[in-house]
Amino acid sequence: ASHPGPADFEHAGRLWRATQGDIRMIVCTHSHSDHSPGAQPLQALCPHKPPILGLPSAPTARPPARFSPDRSLGDGERLVLDGFDAESGEAVTHTLRVVHTPGHAANHLCLVLEEDGLLFSGDHILNGSTTVVDPPDGNMTEYLDSLDALDEACAEGNIEYILPAHGHVLGGARGAIGRLKSHRLQRESKIARAMRKAPAGSM
């Protein structure tokens, strides 16, 4: 499986070389311009035309972030890839479980690699920066609910590591999610206090 990224031919070529052309499916975590536009150019490089999977952008998405997959993924759906370990020659299976996580974008999803206990978090959880939640396609209430869903997935799958789309790997997955949620709630509380102090204008 491959995440396509932006519409950059050099980037698509690097993905092609890294996989030696063995791309079975292209999964888009969401429709933003640095994530989904590379899907069709990457698909065009592949002789067997792997399907582009994800969720279509919602009507609330801005024009640059419009996206329509070949097939929509369902929350909890499992994508199974069979192959061989290059060193041992033994058969291996990789299972990606879809977790629908609206908040950063209405059509955002994360992926759990079940066999390895890893969470691919797209832009929902980043390392070193705070995810933008930009209404109307972004929604803070949904973002926080999605953090709870990811925490539950990490607890069920004994997930220790989060692999974000931007930044380095995050260890201590559940602790990282808890700190992120606490940070968001503290910011929300600070804004609410400021609004109560100056209900008619800016401070």
Side-chain angles (χ1 to χ4, degrees):
S2 179
H3 188 275
D8 180 289
F9 185 76
E10 289 300 318
H11 176 72
R14 285 193 295 272
L15 289 174
W16 170 259
R17 289 189 295 274
T19 59
Q20 298 179 336
D22 184 17
I23 297 173
R24 319 279 181 84
M25 59 187 71
I26 298 168
V27 183
C28 295
T29 57
H30 61 299
S31 53
H32 290 171
S33 59
D34 56 339
H35 288 266
S36 66
Q40 289 186 335
L42 181 59
Q43 185 187 55
L45 287 174
C46 304
H48 300 297
K49 298 292 180 284
I52 297 169
L53 309 176
L55 292 174
S57 51
T60 48
R62 292 186 172 90
R66 297 282 161 78
F67 167 71
S68 182
D70 293 333
R71 183 172 74 77
S72 293
L73 295 172
D75 185 43
E77 181 175 346
R78 285 176 166 83
L79 304 171
V80 180
L81 293 163
D82 293 315
F84 290 93
D85 183 280
E87 292 182 13
S88 68
E90 295 180 3
V92 292
T93 298
H94 298 289
T95 307
L96 289 167
R97 186 173 80 252
V98 176
V99 184
H100 183 209
T101 50
H104 173 64
N107 69 333
H108 196 286
L109 54 84
C110 296
L111 298 158
V112 172
L113 182 55
E114 293 187 335
E115 288 80 5
D116 296 328
L118 299 174
L119 171 65
F120 293 98
S121 63
D123 278 1
H124 199 83
I125 298 172
L126 303 176
N127 190 350
S129 61
T130 304
T131 299
V132 173
V133 178
D134 184 18
D137 203 48
N139 181 295
M140 185 56 73
T141 299
E142 290 182 347
Y143 180 85
L144 294 170
D145 288 344
S146 292
L147 283 179
D148 289 339
L150 291 177
D151 181 63
E152 186 177 322
C154 288
E156 288 176 358
N158 295 315
I159 293 168
E160 280 298 319
Y161 296 99
I162 299 172
L163 285 71
H166 306 278
H168 299 292
V169 173
L170 279 160
R174 295 193 67 197
I177 292 170
R179 287 189 296 275
L180 179 55
K181 184 173 181 182
S182 176
H183 172 69
R184 289 288 190 176
L185 290 173
Q186 285 173 4
R187 284 179 63 180
E188 201 169 84
S189 177
K190 186 177 179 181
I191 292 166
R193 286 196 303 270
M195 290 177 70
R196 283 195 295 271
K197 284 182 182 177
S202 61
M203 294 181 68

